[in-house]
Amino acid sequence: MTDIDVYARRRASLLAQMQCGIAIVPTAPERVRNRDSEYLYRFDSYFYYLCGFREAEAVLVLVAGAEPQSILFCREKNPERETWDGFRYGPEAAREAFGVDAAHPIGQLDEKLPTLLANQPALYYAPGTDPDWDARVMRWLNQVRAQSRTGISAPHSIYDVRAALDEMRLIKDEHELALMRRAAAISAKAHERAMRATRPGRMEYEIEAELLYEFRRHGAQFPAYWPIVAGGANACVLHYSDNNARLEDGALLLIDAGCELDGYASDITRTYPINGKFGGAQKDVYELVLAAQAAAIGATRPGANWDAPHEAAVRVLAQGMIDFGLCQGSLDRVLEAGDYKRFYMHRTGHWLGLDVHDAGEYKQDGKWRPLLAGMTLTVEPGCYIRPADDVPKAYWNIGVRIEDDVLVTKDGCEVITVETPKSIAAIEALVGNG
Ligand code: GLY
Ligand code: MN
Ligand code: MN
């Protein structure tokens, strides 16, 4: 199946679910960073999911019914702009390359949309994403309404197109899984490179540079999120992003980093000793988090509910916290009272795909939804111990997270980031060895 067929099949699936009506799916706007300089462009995930088109200033319109139609609006060819900014498909070539039924210049959007909306019973759209688009869509609707005396009607119902798309995006197809596996493999190499480059005295940003270098040299377009390279106490800051401290002998380094390849994210965390040898308390906490992750991965299978891996991880972590003197009382009491949250304050995973925190509901009808084959998620327990009088000193400033990307399979799950070194022996053999 070619790429064109993959996107055509997704559009056909959405069109079949709509039955009738029209969907409008714009891509993301370009954004200015500061004067004359823009953020690196990233398309909208929903738009890209449906057509694979990566240029800015584009809109996909889908018309459902007996003769479903996919229409792409995109920038026209423009030799002068292409001299400055690079290649643009233009509508004609885009129609052919992306397999849509029709393509028009983006400049014709305001003229054509009221006509396309006329007499459609329903509009599918993602309200609230961008106030400019909301205003524009309302303008088109009002233009159609203004023609009511001529017998033309505007859509009576407006649906959030994301409801259907989120459900589709939750189950990855083979095309998506192939990209996610490649993204995972690149990120695994990047973590290995970072381990080899780590030694006392280096700076966090030097290790960040090793990660970014490895992502890019394998063709990944972006980091899927900004890497967290957190030495020592910085590992206990969950969204640490300064990445500018010196790596100290005897401390741990937590790295949360993953690349984005052709739109698909990977998301991996590893934690390891800066000098290449786990100390006693560091090893205790690392082995605890590793055991929690193994329990969570063991609970990741079709039919189990979304929360099962989290519950499994929390049970292991809470018992460890009692054993280390971080929490007091019985396991049931610590779980019931939630004392473990002082040292494990986030959940054990999230959906992963086009977005690092991918689309899709976690509950249905108020209950955690069951896992299904084809879903992809992270499994990322951690333990973060800040200094305090009631905390044994040996554990102060130890922050550990271990995160892998997991595919739910027919009879269990597969860790797609499995190549990222994780055992104590594998890590100790690599750190500083480069
Ligand atoms: N790196 C983002 C996360 O782990 O959720
Ligand atoms: Mn994550
Ligand atoms: Mn992460």
mmCIF file of all heavy atoms in Angstrom, residues 191 225-226 228 238 254-258 266-270 350 352 356-357 378 380 401 403-405, ligand 3:
data_model
loop_
_atom_site.group_PDB
_atom_site.id
_atom_site.type_symbol
_atom_site.label_atom_id
_atom_site.label_comp_id
_atom_site.label_asym_id
_atom_site.label_seq_id
_atom_site.Cartn_x
_atom_site.Cartn_y
_atom_site.Cartn_z
ATOM 1 N N HIS A 191 19.907 7.830 22.911
ATOM 2 C CA HIS A 191 20.152 7.601 24.345
ATOM 3 C C HIS A 191 21.476 6.877 24.559
ATOM 4 O O HIS A 191 22.217 7.175 25.497
ATOM 5 C CB HIS A 191 18.980 6.823 24.966
ATOM 6 C CG HIS A 191 17.831 7.701 25.348
ATOM 7 N ND1 HIS A 191 17.708 8.271 26.601
ATOM 8 C CD2 HIS A 191 16.776 8.140 24.629
ATOM 9 C CE1 HIS A 191 16.609 9.010 26.646
ATOM 10 N NE2 HIS A 191 16.017 8.957 25.453
ATOM 11 N N TYR A 225 9.636 16.678 21.654
ATOM 12 C CA TYR A 225 9.416 17.663 22.728
ATOM 13 C C TYR A 225 10.811 18.065 23.146
ATOM 14 O O TYR A 225 11.788 17.378 22.792
ATOM 15 C CB TYR A 225 8.637 17.031 23.906
ATOM 16 C CG TYR A 225 9.248 15.739 24.367
ATOM 17 C CD1 TYR A 225 10.198 15.720 25.371
ATOM 18 C CD2 TYR A 225 8.951 14.537 23.736
ATOM 19 C CE1 TYR A 225 10.825 14.553 25.748
ATOM 20 C CE2 TYR A 225 9.571 13.357 24.098
ATOM 21 C CZ TYR A 225 10.496 13.372 25.110
ATOM 22 O OH TYR A 225 11.134 12.214 25.477
ATOM 23 N N TRP A 226 10.966 19.151 23.876
ATOM 24 C CA TRP A 226 12.333 19.549 24.181
ATOM 25 C C TRP A 226 12.954 18.566 25.176
ATOM 26 O O TRP A 226 12.331 18.228 26.177
ATOM 27 C CB TRP A 226 12.408 21.008 24.683
ATOM 28 C CG TRP A 226 13.762 21.482 24.325
ATOM 29 C CD1 TRP A 226 14.826 21.652 25.163
ATOM 30 C CD2 TRP A 226 14.248 21.704 22.985
ATOM 31 N NE1 TRP A 226 15.946 21.975 24.424
ATOM 32 C CE2 TRP A 226 15.627 22.009 23.101
ATOM 33 C CE3 TRP A 226 13.664 21.654 21.724
ATOM 34 C CZ2 TRP A 226 16.433 22.277 21.983
ATOM 35 C CZ3 TRP A 226 14.464 21.928 20.622
ATOM 36 C CH2 TRP A 226 15.822 22.229 20.753
ATOM 37 N N ILE A 228 14.714 16.724 28.175
ATOM 38 C CA ILE A 228 15.020 16.994 29.579
ATOM 39 C C ILE A 228 16.345 16.292 29.867
ATOM 40 O O ILE A 228 16.439 15.075 29.716
ATOM 41 C CB ILE A 228 13.915 16.430 30.499
ATOM 42 C CG1 ILE A 228 12.580 17.141 30.249
ATOM 43 C CG2 ILE A 228 14.341 16.521 31.966
ATOM 44 C CD1 ILE A 228 11.380 16.483 30.925
ATOM 45 N N LEU A 238 10.095 17.905 37.422
ATOM 46 C CA LEU A 238 9.541 17.014 36.382
ATOM 47 C C LEU A 238 9.697 17.570 34.976
ATOM 48 O O LEU A 238 9.961 16.822 34.047
ATOM 49 C CB LEU A 238 8.070 16.710 36.675
ATOM 50 C CG LEU A 238 7.850 15.903 37.960
ATOM 51 C CD1 LEU A 238 6.363 15.646 38.167
ATOM 52 C CD2 LEU A 238 8.617 14.597 37.955
ATOM 53 N N LEU A 254 19.099 12.103 34.599
ATOM 54 C CA LEU A 254 17.829 11.661 34.008
ATOM 55 C C LEU A 254 17.675 12.336 32.646
ATOM 56 O O LEU A 254 17.761 13.565 32.547
ATOM 57 C CB LEU A 254 16.660 12.027 34.940
ATOM 58 C CG LEU A 254 15.248 11.622 34.495
ATOM 59 C CD1 LEU A 254 14.327 11.452 35.710
ATOM 60 C CD2 LEU A 254 14.619 12.601 33.515
ATOM 61 N N ILE A 255 17.482 11.534 31.622
ATOM 62 C CA ILE A 255 17.267 12.089 30.270
ATOM 63 C C ILE A 255 15.928 11.610 29.747
ATOM 64 O O ILE A 255 15.676 10.407 29.636
ATOM 65 C CB ILE A 255 18.375 11.636 29.297
ATOM 66 C CG1 ILE A 255 19.726 12.209 29.739
ATOM 67 C CG2 ILE A 255 18.049 12.078 27.874
ATOM 68 C CD1 ILE A 255 20.859 11.915 28.790
ATOM 69 N N ASP A 256 15.067 12.570 29.434
ATOM 70 C CA ASP A 256 13.778 12.272 28.803
ATOM 71 C C ASP A 256 13.833 12.908 27.423
ATOM 72 O O ASP A 256 13.776 14.136 27.288
ATOM 73 C CB ASP A 256 12.646 12.860 29.653
ATOM 74 C CG ASP A 256 11.262 12.484 29.137
ATOM 75 O OD1 ASP A 256 11.148 12.062 27.964
ATOM 76 O OD2 ASP A 256 10.293 12.627 29.917
ATOM 77 N N ALA A 257 13.994 12.078 26.387
ATOM 78 C CA ALA A 257 14.184 12.629 25.044
ATOM 79 C C ALA A 257 13.703 11.637 24.000
ATOM 80 O O ALA A 257 13.910 10.431 24.130
ATOM 81 C CB ALA A 257 15.660 12.939 24.802
ATOM 82 N N GLY A 258 13.062 12.163 22.973
ATOM 83 C CA GLY A 258 12.615 11.320 21.869
ATOM 84 C C GLY A 258 12.494 12.169 20.623
ATOM 85 O O GLY A 258 12.212 13.369 20.703
ATOM 86 N N SER A 266 8.499 9.670 19.451
ATOM 87 C CA SER A 266 8.945 8.651 20.400
ATOM 88 C C SER A 266 9.214 9.391 21.700
ATOM 89 O O SER A 266 9.377 10.616 21.697
ATOM 90 C CB SER A 266 10.190 7.941 19.878
ATOM 91 O OG SER A 266 11.178 8.896 19.572
ATOM 92 N N ASP A 267 9.264 8.673 22.793
ATOM 93 C CA ASP A 267 9.312 9.319 24.101
ATOM 94 C C ASP A 267 9.983 8.349 25.078
ATOM 95 O O ASP A 267 9.339 7.409 25.534
ATOM 96 C CB ASP A 267 7.867 9.649 24.522
ATOM 97 C CG ASP A 267 7.794 10.414 25.825
ATOM 98 O OD1 ASP A 267 8.844 10.776 26.374
ATOM 99 O OD2 ASP A 267 6.658 10.643 26.299
ATOM 100 N N ILE A 268 11.261 8.572 25.340
ATOM 101 C CA ILE A 268 12.047 7.616 26.135
ATOM 102 C C ILE A 268 12.724 8.346 27.296
ATOM 103 O O ILE A 268 13.275 9.434 27.099
ATOM 104 C CB ILE A 268 13.147 6.959 25.271
ATOM 105 C CG1 ILE A 268 12.544 6.267 24.042
ATOM 106 C CG2 ILE A 268 13.969 5.973 26.094
ATOM 107 C CD1 ILE A 268 13.599 5.670 23.099
ATOM 108 N N THR A 269 12.695 7.744 28.459
ATOM 109 C CA THR A 269 13.484 8.264 29.584
ATOM 110 C C THR A 269 14.421 7.176 30.095
ATOM 111 O O THR A 269 14.009 6.028 30.260
ATOM 112 C CB THR A 269 12.574 8.730 30.745
ATOM 113 O OG1 THR A 269 11.607 9.656 30.243
ATOM 114 C CG2 THR A 269 13.394 9.409 31.833
ATOM 115 N N ARG A 270 15.652 7.582 30.335
ATOM 116 C CA ARG A 270 16.609 6.717 31.005
ATOM 117 C C ARG A 270 17.281 7.519 32.108
ATOM 118 O O ARG A 270 17.446 8.737 31.984
ATOM 119 C CB ARG A 270 17.679 6.195 30.024
ATOM 120 C CG ARG A 270 17.156 5.173 29.039
ATOM 121 C CD ARG A 270 16.754 3.874 29.740
ATOM 122 N NE ARG A 270 16.302 2.855 28.801
ATOM 123 C CZ ARG A 270 15.022 2.632 28.469
ATOM 124 N NH1 ARG A 270 14.059 3.378 28.993
ATOM 125 N NH2 ARG A 270 14.713 1.667 27.633
ATOM 126 N N HIS A 350 0.780 7.773 28.771
ATOM 127 C CA HIS A 350 -0.149 8.545 27.931
ATOM 128 C C HIS A 350 -0.137 7.928 26.557
ATOM 129 O O HIS A 350 0.806 7.203 26.198
ATOM 130 C CB HIS A 350 0.289 10.025 27.890
ATOM 131 C CG HIS A 350 1.742 10.215 27.579
ATOM 132 N ND1 HIS A 350 2.241 10.194 26.298
ATOM 133 C CD2 HIS A 350 2.825 10.395 28.395
ATOM 134 C CE1 HIS A 350 3.555 10.365 26.347
ATOM 135 N NE2 HIS A 350 3.934 10.481 27.596
ATOM 136 N N LEU A 352 0.528 7.736 22.639
ATOM 137 C CA LEU A 352 1.672 8.248 21.875
ATOM 138 C C LEU A 352 1.380 8.060 20.391
ATOM 139 O O LEU A 352 0.825 7.024 19.989
ATOM 140 C CB LEU A 352 2.920 7.435 22.261
ATOM 141 C CG LEU A 352 4.234 7.836 21.596
ATOM 142 C CD1 LEU A 352 4.758 9.133 22.216
ATOM 143 C CD2 LEU A 352 5.287 6.728 21.793
ATOM 144 N N VAL A 356 3.067 13.786 21.017
ATOM 145 C CA VAL A 356 3.718 13.003 22.064
ATOM 146 C C VAL A 356 2.697 12.640 23.143
ATOM 147 O O VAL A 356 2.704 11.499 23.638
ATOM 148 C CB VAL A 356 4.973 13.711 22.627
ATOM 149 C CG1 VAL A 356 4.652 15.023 23.295
ATOM 150 C CG2 VAL A 356 5.694 12.787 23.592
ATOM 151 N N HIS A 357 1.837 13.558 23.496
ATOM 152 C CA HIS A 357 0.663 13.208 24.310
ATOM 153 C C HIS A 357 -0.468 13.100 23.307
ATOM 154 O O HIS A 357 -1.121 14.083 22.972
ATOM 155 C CB HIS A 357 0.382 14.278 25.372
ATOM 156 C CG HIS A 357 1.425 14.300 26.458
ATOM 157 N ND1 HIS A 357 1.369 15.128 27.532
ATOM 158 C CD2 HIS A 357 2.561 13.562 26.632
ATOM 159 C CE1 HIS A 357 2.433 14.925 28.330
ATOM 160 N NE2 HIS A 357 3.157 13.974 27.780
ATOM 161 N N THR A 378 2.930 5.165 26.414
ATOM 162 C CA THR A 378 4.188 5.091 27.147
ATOM 163 C C THR A 378 3.938 4.398 28.480
ATOM 164 O O THR A 378 2.819 4.408 29.006
ATOM 165 C CB THR A 378 4.765 6.492 27.440
ATOM 166 O OG1 THR A 378 3.872 7.182 28.317
ATOM 167 C CG2 THR A 378 4.951 7.292 26.162
ATOM 168 N N GLU A 380 5.888 4.800 32.029
ATOM 169 C CA GLU A 380 6.948 5.656 32.547
ATOM 170 C C GLU A 380 6.837 5.948 34.041
ATOM 171 O O GLU A 380 6.665 7.103 34.446
ATOM 172 C CB GLU A 380 6.965 6.976 31.771
ATOM 173 C CG GLU A 380 5.629 7.687 31.651
ATOM 174 C CD GLU A 380 5.786 9.023 30.920
ATOM 175 O OE1 GLU A 380 6.592 9.839 31.374
ATOM 176 O OE2 GLU A 380 5.096 9.233 29.908
ATOM 177 N N ARG A 401 13.345 8.078 36.525
ATOM 178 C CA ARG A 401 12.186 7.701 35.688
ATOM 179 C C ARG A 401 12.715 6.765 34.608
ATOM 180 O O ARG A 401 13.826 6.951 34.103
ATOM 181 C CB ARG A 401 11.516 8.926 35.057
ATOM 182 C CG ARG A 401 10.337 8.555 34.149
ATOM 183 C CD ARG A 401 9.407 9.735 33.809
ATOM 184 N NE ARG A 401 10.015 10.793 33.057
ATOM 185 C CZ ARG A 401 10.398 11.965 33.538
ATOM 186 N NH1 ARG A 401 10.221 12.227 34.817
ATOM 187 N NH2 ARG A 401 10.946 12.891 32.761
ATOM 188 N N GLU A 403 11.217 5.199 31.040
ATOM 189 C CA GLU A 403 10.060 5.339 30.138
ATOM 190 C C GLU A 403 10.320 4.613 28.828
ATOM 191 O O GLU A 403 11.340 4.832 28.172
ATOM 192 C CB GLU A 403 9.823 6.828 29.845
ATOM 193 C CG GLU A 403 8.731 7.072 28.810
ATOM 194 C CD GLU A 403 8.402 8.550 28.635
ATOM 195 O OE1 GLU A 403 9.300 9.390 28.832
ATOM 196 O OE2 GLU A 403 7.251 8.849 28.290
ATOM 197 N N ASP A 404 9.370 3.765 28.457
ATOM 198 C CA ASP A 404 9.421 3.082 27.161
ATOM 199 C C ASP A 404 8.104 3.270 26.431
ATOM 200 O O ASP A 404 7.084 3.635 27.023
ATOM 201 C CB ASP A 404 9.705 1.586 27.372
ATOM 202 C CG ASP A 404 11.176 1.330 27.637
ATOM 203 O OD1 ASP A 404 11.968 1.425 26.687
ATOM 204 O OD2 ASP A 404 11.538 1.069 28.806
ATOM 205 N N ASP A 405 8.169 3.010 25.123
ATOM 206 C CA ASP A 405 6.989 3.129 24.261
ATOM 207 C C ASP A 405 6.494 1.732 23.937
ATOM 208 O O ASP A 405 7.295 0.858 23.562
ATOM 209 C CB ASP A 405 7.357 3.890 22.980
ATOM 210 C CG ASP A 405 7.917 5.274 23.289
ATOM 211 O OD1 ASP A 405 7.739 5.728 24.450
ATOM 212 O OD2 ASP A 405 8.521 5.888 22.401
HETATM 213 MN MN MN B 3 9.031 11.453 28.280
#
